Amino acid sequence: MSIAPASPDGPEAASEAWAPGPADLTTLRVAGIPAALHRFPPSAQAAWARLAELKPASYARSRNALDGAVSGLSPYFAHGLIEPGAALAALAARHRIGYEDKLVFEFGWRAFFHHVRARRRDAILDTLRPEGLPAGPAAYRARLPDDVLEARSGVPAIDQAVRVLYASGYLHNHARMWLASYLVHLRKVDWRVAADWLYGHLLDGDLACNHLSWQWVAGSFSSKPYLFNADNVARYAPVAASRTWRSAGTLIDRSYEALEQLARQGRASGPEPGAHPAVEPPGLWAEPPAEALAGLPRLDDPAELGAATAALDLVHPWALGEPPAGARPQRLGLVHLPAHAARPWSARRWAWVLARMAAVCDRVWIDDAAPLLQSLRAQGRPLRAAPAPESGYARLLAGLAAPPAPPPLFADPAGSCTSFSRWYAQSQALAPHLEDRLRPWAAAGAAGLGTLSLFPG
Ligand SMILES: Cc1cc2nc3c(=O)[nH]c(=O)nc-3n(C[C@H](O)[C@H](O)[C@H](O)COP(=O)(O)OP(=O)(O)OC[C@H]3O[C@@H](n4cnc5c(N)ncnc54)[C@H](O)[C@@H]3O)c2cc1C
């Protein structure tokens, strides 16, 4: 089944500023990145099409490789175009899957990070266990080196990862781990600064998954720091372009014992000697740049919303799912600018999110949304919004009714768990049969896959 040419999600985005341009495509071809991992149309149907292609057995066999059969679903989950529960229910209708499956396990990691975030809130944005940082908390600098930002560190695995990130807004998990490990343990960059930077460039940037993964690599949310070497790169680089990732003879071409010594020392290592070709780093924006606004049905005056008594669904950037079928309330997209000041996004991510918002909302508000909500509340207007994972939006929307949703995919242990394996075991103990957890999601999964049969490939 292939992705259909037209989208049932609503009007196609007026601007494709989210798509890789010709120079990006060259970069991605040189790096050997499969097409499925660099084109992410912002529609739910594109996510369902990925899911229709996903095979849990191939995933388990190849997921560690940069050209392996990974799903590319993360942007769709991060921004709520589809829910992990509906995705797994759809998968379970076609394949036998259980808790022991590698893919289910990885969905579990996402849920685990969200479990931690729900309990520790914004404490996860700071170092959870400073004593876990191998060089001691004072050793790390609050600035990313220009050579890494410009993809000219001289370590091909790192420079390729940065180029792929800029060109597509996506990086394979292994490349994220390499980049994070190199920046923290060898270049001695404070993980918090680097995590904010990566978060801004990823289409799937998710504070729980991103910041806790960085802490996992750094050692402040794990039992030991994550290290990698040139052999590891050689093993998992894309087969068709392994030469462009090959990092033999560089700083990372050493034993794990030697790397651990470098990680423990207070002094930064690198970059590689000599000059290396550079790229211009794309900017990060605290508000949408002009190209992301093309064709957007903006709301400038709240009076344009009309009848004061009609219910209004507020749609934030992490809840960009399909509008409910049948008669539906007005939908107002909200971009609450004060919430974006601390962690700006790339132009690509803005364009992606706004293209989707334009497709699923009647109008879009881009500004401080607090006065708008105040006046809507004062009018007594019934408002509804899904819970938001980011605190700026969570504060804005606190107290509003949420649209009905099935229970979370994984049973969530009541206490606070900081070990994934313990959390996963406890979750299974609470719900021994995965199919019981998937049942409430079955209709959503079937409906999602059903949209694809309207457009046979
Ligand atoms: C430094 C670093 C930063 C990261 N930042 C983010 C982020 O901002 N947002 C994000 O969603 N993930 C993040 N991850 C986790 C992981 O890299 C991505 O979820 C995964 O690469 C997404 O690609 P995929 O959808 O093709 O994954 P697949 O391998 O196809 O997995 C399917 C789904 O399982 C979940 N998943 C898979 N691996 C992980 C993992 N290691 N941790 C948590 N969930 C996982 C994701 O929801 C993913 O979409 C980060 C990892 C690292 C090491």
Side-chain angles (χ1 to χ4, degrees):
M1 204 171 300
S2 62
I3 297 178
S7 160
D9 296 324
E12 266 298 309
S15 151
E16 286 211 344
W18 50 268
D24 295 329
L25 291 173
T26 303
T27 299
L28 294 161
R29 191 176 39 75
V30 169
I33 303 303
L37 295 183
H38 59 67
R39 199 178 153 83
F40 299 92
S43 73
Q45 201 204 0
W48 291 112
R50 283 176 181 276
L51 211 69
E53 299 286 344
L54 188 58
K55 299 193 176 51
S58 321
Y59 179 86
R61 245 191 337 269
S62 67
R63 64 174 281 277
N64 280 326
L66 266 63
D67 51 0
V70 296
S71 71
L73 284 169
S74 50
Y76 303 96
F77 291 153
H79 290 290
L81 277 71
I82 67 168
E83 292 296 322
L88 268 200
L91 210 62
R94 298 168 159 225
H95 304 272
R96 276 181 78 86
I97 53 169
Y99 284 117
E100 66 291 352
D101 269 275
K102 203 67 198 138
L103 186 60
V104 179
F105 196 76
E106 295 305 326
F107 274 56
W109 268 103
R110 181 175 195 278
F112 167 65
F113 285 144
H114 283 259
H115 162 95
V116 176
R117 166 95 162 128
R119 275 138 191 95
R120 306 296 303 270
R121 305 303 317 166
D122 282 357
I124 69 153
L125 307 178
D126 227 320
T127 305
L128 289 171
R129 221 172 48 82
E131 65 278 17
L133 300 175
Y140 305 91
R141 295 180 299 205
R143 195 171 183 284
L144 282 153
D146 287 342
D147 64 85
V148 176
L149 289 175
E150 292 168 14
R152 55 172 178 83
S153 72
V155 178
I158 299 306
D159 296 341
Q160 285 290 30
V162 172
R163 283 162 199 256
V164 168
L165 173 69
Y166 292 160
S168 67
Y170 174 89
L171 261 189
H172 185 280
N173 182 59
H174 231 131
R176 297 182 200 210
M177 287 163 55
W178 295 339
L179 187 55
S181 179
Y182 175 78
L183 277 169
V184 175
H185 298 307
L186 302 184
R187 304 302 298 273
K188 299 288 182 295
V189 176
D190 187 319
W191 73 264
R192 293 169 297 186
V193 175
D196 285 350
W197 165 74
L198 181 63
Y199 169 85
H201 283 288
L202 287 170
L203 292 178
D204 66 27
D206 171 280
L207 284 182
C209 293
N210 186 63
H211 283 55
L212 288 168
S213 292
W214 276 88
Q215 299 222 47
W216 184 88
V217 168
S220 55
F221 185 61
S222 53
S223 54
K224 61 176 180 5
Y226 167 79
L227 300 169
F228 76 106
N229 67 12
D231 292 344
N232 188 265
V233 172
R235 186 156 172 216
Y236 295 114
V239 171
S242 56
R243 225 170 14 88
T244 64
W245 290 79
R246 192 169 171 271
S247 299
T250 68
L251 184 61
I252 62 166
D253 190 9
R254 57 188 74 210
S255 69
Y256 282 95
E257 294 71 34
L259 285 166
E260 200 172 326
Q261 268 177 17
L262 290 183
R264 287 193 187 289
Q265 76 180 20
R267 205 165 15 91
S269 314
E272 302 302 309
H276 307 279
V279 297
E280 177 77 25
L284 291 173
W285 304 72
E287 54 186 83
E291 67 264 32
L293 298 173
L296 201 66
R298 281 185 80 166
L299 175 72
D300 297 312
D301 178 357
E304 294 169 40
L305 282 175
T309 51
L312 187 62
D313 274 357
L314 302 173
V315 176
H316 60 71
W318 294 273
L320 299 175
E322 293 293 272
R328 62 175 182 88
Q330 251 185 327
R331 300 188 104 212
L332 175 64
L334 284 188
V335 175
H336 179 43
L337 289 181
H340 292 273
R343 282 182 198 81
W345 288 352
S346 66
R348 184 186 305 282
R349 186 166 182 191
W350 277 118
W352 198 89
V353 164
L354 291 179
R356 176 61 180 173
M357 242 184 205
V360 295
C361 294
D362 301 296
R363 306 297 289 273
V364 178
W365 176 265
I366 304 179
D367 204 335
D368 184 344
L372 171 71
L373 259 65
Q374 213 172 15
S375 96
L376 291 169
R377 279 178 161 131
Q379 289 170 22
R381 190 139 192 199
L383 302 175
R384 232 168 38 153
E390 309 248 344
S391 32
Y393 281 85
R395 273 193 300 276
L396 176 79
L397 302 171
L400 295 187
L409 168 57
F410 293 95
D412 201 22
S416 178
C417 217
T418 51
S419 140
F420 171 72
S421 47
R422 238 175 293 137
W423 175 87
Y424 202 62
Q426 286 182 25
S427 180
Q428 278 186 66
L430 289 169
H433 305 291
L434 183 62
E435 57 272 25
D436 293 340
R437 298 301 296 181
L438 294 179
R439 207 162 291 124
W441 290 101
L449 284 183
T451 63
L452 293 178
S453 59
L454 299 172
F455 299 93

